[in-house]
Amino acid sequence: QVQLVESGGGLVQAGGSLRLSCAASGSLFSINAMGWYRQAPGKQRELVADITSGGSTNYADSVKGRFTISRDNAKNTVYLQMNSLKLEDAAVYYCHLRAQPGAYRPLSDYWGLGTQVTVSS
């Protein structure tokens, strides 16, 4: 079983900062990538940022220059530092993991339960 435990969401004023964390545990033979998606009410879930095991990063255009994704491979943890938050950043943020749960198992996708980020004016 693979588990993702997210933390760090909350209420922040526009222009403020939050840091999200997501720790993966369980049967993990290898991790391909970790990242964050978000879903606002009435909208589809969208990629915010992800990072590969080699450190390559990818960001949504809407967060470039404001959000930074990082990863601690030893702790199987991914972080999302969110600065200069805007009203439109408010959403439920979901941790995503792509990993092999076993040596002869295919890559699989795993999701956290989500953490709410609320941005007030």
Side-chain angles (χ1 to χ4, degrees), residues 2-121:
V2 174
Q3 287 188 319
L4 299 175
V5 178
E6 300 144 325
S7 61
L11 172 64
V12 65
Q13 281 192 323
S17 298
L18 281 175
R19 188 189 193 214
L20 306 182
S21 300
C22 173
S25 63
S27 178
L28 291 170
F29 176 72
S30 70
I31 294 177
N32 176 265
M34 297 185 75
W36 293 92
Y37 285 68
R38 67 186 181 188
Q39 187 167 19
K43 295 189 176 181
Q44 288 190 329
R45 189 174 297 189
E46 62 176 359
L47 172 70
V48 177
D50 61 18
I51 183 167
T52 68
S53 57
S56 297
T57 58
N58 180 42
Y59 293 92
D61 287 342
S62 60
V63 307
K64 283 180 181 177
R66 300 187 297 121
F67 291 10
T68 302
I69 191 168
S70 60
R71 182 170 160 176
D72 185 334
N73 289 335
K75 296 181 179 179
N76 290 337
T77 299
V78 64
Y79 305 96
L80 184 68
Q81 178 66 43
M82 304 186 293
N83 297 330
S84 303
L85 281 159
K86 302 178 180 180
L87 295 177
E88 53 264 40
D89 293 319
V92 178
Y93 283 69
Y94 295 92
C95 180
H96 172 253
L97 166 72
R98 179 162 292 168
Q100 269 184 286
Y104 303 103
R105 302 281 298 277
L107 279 171
S108 299
D109 292 300
Y110 302 91
W111 295 92
L113 296 178
T115 184
Q116 179 72 50
V117 171
T118 303
V119 184
S120 65
S121 59

